[in-house]
């Protein structure tokens, strides 16, 4: 069986370093808010390109705390509108509604699967205060149009960077990484992410010192000094074990992402099946080995870190079963769009055809740094043999 994302195989690539890091923390006797956390925060801020990084419990907390801090700082207030892509993972939207803000769903571009920047302006109202872009599937969602809209309308630009550790924005801001493009960004280190912990963990990155101080306090019960609580907070802290593991894995992130890009390039160049579309890509007609560099990805896709390799097919469920029967595990991101979820009944009447098409047709292929060339070639051969 070719697994979609075999976490043990991936972590085995770094097993010695991970075990040494864990042992150092265990032997230190200090398990929260210690040297390992401070080290990782400094390293990750430097890697992303921001002045501040605050480790928190998970990616949802990171999103929620950013919004809560902006409310505390009077940059947002309850009832304000936050524009988000309609096809995002539910956590993005939960962070908004938890803070009693109002999500405004905007359709994605079916070619990029990112928020359609040509539709954003018509969604802006006098209550719109922020735009939260989501770098879905590891692709950068930032565009010049988005930057211009935020400037002209005075909107906070926030990033959900849960799926795009290491992605860059070369087309607009050369060498700038996602997570450093807006006022603040949320990161998830859930084990399946490109930079994955051995449990839950997350972070906020920002250049705004006041926001960083507020988020750090809110994540520690609202306290900057022991037993003194200046604001209503929560307990959301990255632990020393996770921080130590993440520091070790961060050193390998760029090479891991490079391997994902090589696999993505092979898929793009060699998947030839009329029943399968790779969003935003026109595959070439020739074959090339995984080590080839003579047929580069388009600029947009070459900057992706391919957290997920999505294809679209009107025969998605049949294709998924076909591949499973032949030993290839796939996944769906995501089967039910947010506006069809039971937790948001007020949205059930919305008509969002692009989002609904993506959720009905998306299939995620195996794409990770532990895959062998033979496994990648097998995936392609099986897809190409599928007949709808």
């Amino acid at each position: 069986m070719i697994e979609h994302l075999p976490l043990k195989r991936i972590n085995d690539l770094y097993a010695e370093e991970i075990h040494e890091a864990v042992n150092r923390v265990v032997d230190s006797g200090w398990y929260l808010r210690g040297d390992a956390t401070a080290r990782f925060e400094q390293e990750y801020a430097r890697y992303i390109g921001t002045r501040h990084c605050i480790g928190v419990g998970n990616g949802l907390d990171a999103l929620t705390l950013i919004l809560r801090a902006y409310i505390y700082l009077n940059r947002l207030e309850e009832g304000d509108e936050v524009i988000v892509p309609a096809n995002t993972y539910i956590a993005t939207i939960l962070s908004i509604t938890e803070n009693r803000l109002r999500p405004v769903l905007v359709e994605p571009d079916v070619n990029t699967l990112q928020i359609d920047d040509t539709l954003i302006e018509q969604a802006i109202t006098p209550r719109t205060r922020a735009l939260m872009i989501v770098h879905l599937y590891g692709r950068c969602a930032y565009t010049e149009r988005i930057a211009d809209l935020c400037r002209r309308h005075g909107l906070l630009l926030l990033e959900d960077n849960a799926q795009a550790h290491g992605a860059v924005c070369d087309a607009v801001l050369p060498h700038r990484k996602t997570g450093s493009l807006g006022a603040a960004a949320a990161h998830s280190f859930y084990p399946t992410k490109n930079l994955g912990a051995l449990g839950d963990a997350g972070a906020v990155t920002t250049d705004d010192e006041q926001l960083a101080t507020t988020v750090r306090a809110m994540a520690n019960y609202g306290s900057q000094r022991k037993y003194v609580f200046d604001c209503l907070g929560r307990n959301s802290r990255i632990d020393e074990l996770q921080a130590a593991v993440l520091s070790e894995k961060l050193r390998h992130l760029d090479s891991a992402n490079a391997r994902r890009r090589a696999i993505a390039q092979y898929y793009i160049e060699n998947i030839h099946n009329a029943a399968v579309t790779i969003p935003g890509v026109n595959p070439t007609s020739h074959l090339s080995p995984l080590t080839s560099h003579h047929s580069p990805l388009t600029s947009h896709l070459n900057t992706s870190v391919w957290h997920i390799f999505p294809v679209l097919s009107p025969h998605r469920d049949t294709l998924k079963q076909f591949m499973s029967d032949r030993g290839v595990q796939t996944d769906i991101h995501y089967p039910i769009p947010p506006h069809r979820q039971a937790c948001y009944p007020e949205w059930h009447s919305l008509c969002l055809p692009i989002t609904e098409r993506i959720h009905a047709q998306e299939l995620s292929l195996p794409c990770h740094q532990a895959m062998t060339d033979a496994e990648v070639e097998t995936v392609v051969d099986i897809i190409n043999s599928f007949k709808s």
Side-chain angles (χ1 to χ4, degrees):
M1 169 67 74
I2 299 175
E3 295 179 74
H4 177 256
L5 193 67
L7 293 181
K8 186 178 187 306
R9 274 182 63 191
I10 292 171
N11 285 322
D12 280 349
L13 297 173
Y14 323 112
E16 184 176 349
E17 293 152 286
I18 289 173
H19 284 289
E20 288 177 359
V22 169
N23 287 338
R24 283 197 303 272
V25 172
V26 171
D27 292 343
S28 76
W30 195 284
Y31 309 120
L32 280 171
R33 304 182 70 195
D35 290 342
T37 295
R39 174 189 168 198
F40 173 69
E41 289 178 340
Q42 292 166 5
E43 292 171 344
Y44 195 64
R46 184 166 56 248
Y47 178 81
I48 292 297
T50 57
R51 292 174 58 202
H52 304 283
C53 169
I54 306 96
V56 298
N58 54 68
L60 175 56
D61 279 1
L63 289 163
T64 304
L65 286 164
I66 289 170
L67 295 172
R68 184 168 296 181
Y70 274 125
I71 291 172
Y72 178 78
L73 295 171
N74 297 314
R75 293 291 304 277
L76 295 172
E77 62 182 43
E78 290 185 10
D80 283 347
E81 295 174 352
V82 180
I83 293 174
V84 290
N87 62 318
T88 188
Y89 182 60
I90 199 72
T92 315
I93 295 170
L94 288 173
S95 70
I96 298 169
T97 56
E98 181 175 331
N99 281 291
R100 298 183 181 177
L101 301 166
R102 181 173 176 265
V104 177
L105 307 182
V106 171
E107 286 265 63
D109 182 333
V110 75
N111 293 308
T112 65
L113 308 184
Q114 307 303 312
I115 192 168
D116 188 336
D117 62 8
T118 68
L119 301 178
I120 294 172
E121 190 155 28
Q122 66 193 50
I124 295 173
T125 76
R127 291 308 305 267
T128 307
R129 295 291 180 271
L131 167 59
M132 186 178 287
I133 56 175
V134 185
H135 305 297
L136 283 163
Y137 306 118
R139 301 179 182 182
C140 179
Y142 183 89
T143 67
E144 288 181 351
R145 188 193 298 266
I146 284 173
D148 179 64
L149 285 170
C150 289
R151 281 193 297 267
R152 287 193 290 110
H153 293 276
L155 304 181
L156 283 169
L157 178 60
L158 308 175
E159 299 173 78
D160 182 339
N161 199 49
Q163 298 186 8
H165 312 132
V168 294
C169 188
D170 274 355
V172 183
L173 298 170
H175 312 303
R176 286 276 296 275
K177 287 190 172 69
T178 57
S180 70
L181 307 175
H187 308 254
S188 168
F189 306 121
Y190 186 73
T192 61
K193 306 300 185 184
N194 290 40
L195 181 60
L198 300 186
D200 269 327
V204 172
T205 55
T206 184
D207 284 331
D208 184 334
E209 185 169 356
Q210 189 178 33
L211 178 73
T213 299
T214 304
V215 168
R216 191 177 294 281
M218 284 185 164
N220 185 41
Y221 302 99
S223 173
Q224 295 185 56
R225 291 183 297 136
K226 194 171 184 179
Y227 302 135
V228 177
F229 306 97
D230 298 316
C231 58
L232 297 176
R234 62 174 21 166
N235 175 14
S236 180
R237 299 173 298 203
I238 192 171
D239 67 64
E240 289 284 280
L241 286 170
Q242 303 305 337
V245 168
L246 288 167
S247 281
E248 297 303 320
K249 295 179 76 173
L250 180 60
R251 296 190 295 108
H252 300 283
L253 179 58
D254 287 343
S255 61
N257 286 341
R259 174 58 180 169
R260 287 173 180 257
R261 289 192 184 103
I263 293 168
Q265 177 163 343
Y266 189 83
Y267 282 158
I268 288 167
E269 294 182 345
N270 293 281
I271 292 176
H272 304 294
N273 189 318
V276 176
T277 299
I278 301 173
V281 171
N282 294 314
T284 59
S285 59
H286 65 277
L287 301 181
S288 62
L290 287 172
T291 54
S292 170
H293 298 287
H294 68 272
S295 181
L297 302 177
T298 64
S299 174
H300 175 69
L301 298 182
N302 198 40
T303 59
S304 172
V305 293
W306 297 99
H307 171 61
I308 292 166
F309 189 97
V311 298
L312 300 179
S313 176
H315 313 286
R316 191 263 311 280
D317 295 340
T318 305
L319 174 60
K320 181 175 175 61
Q321 187 62 53
F322 179 85
M323 297 188 73
S324 178
D325 291 344
R326 287 153 184 80
V328 175
Q329 186 183 69
T330 58
D331 206 345
I332 297 172
H333 295 89
Y334 302 95
I336 305 172
H339 70 287
R340 293 283 185 251
Q341 296 288 353
C343 59
Y344 291 113
E346 66 272 25
W347 290 342
H348 288 182
S349 61
L350 290 179
C351 179
L352 298 168
I354 303 299
T355 295
E356 289 160 19
R357 175 186 166 193
I358 291 170
H359 285 259
Q361 296 188 4
E362 194 277 339
L363 188 68
S364 304
L365 305 185
C367 184
H368 56 83
Q369 62 268 38
M371 283 188 84
T372 65
D373 289 1
E375 288 174 326
V376 180
E377 291 161 1
T378 296
V379 171
V380 169
D381 290 343
I382 291 172
I383 289 180
N384 286 343
S385 69
F386 174 70
K387 293 180 174 57
S388 56

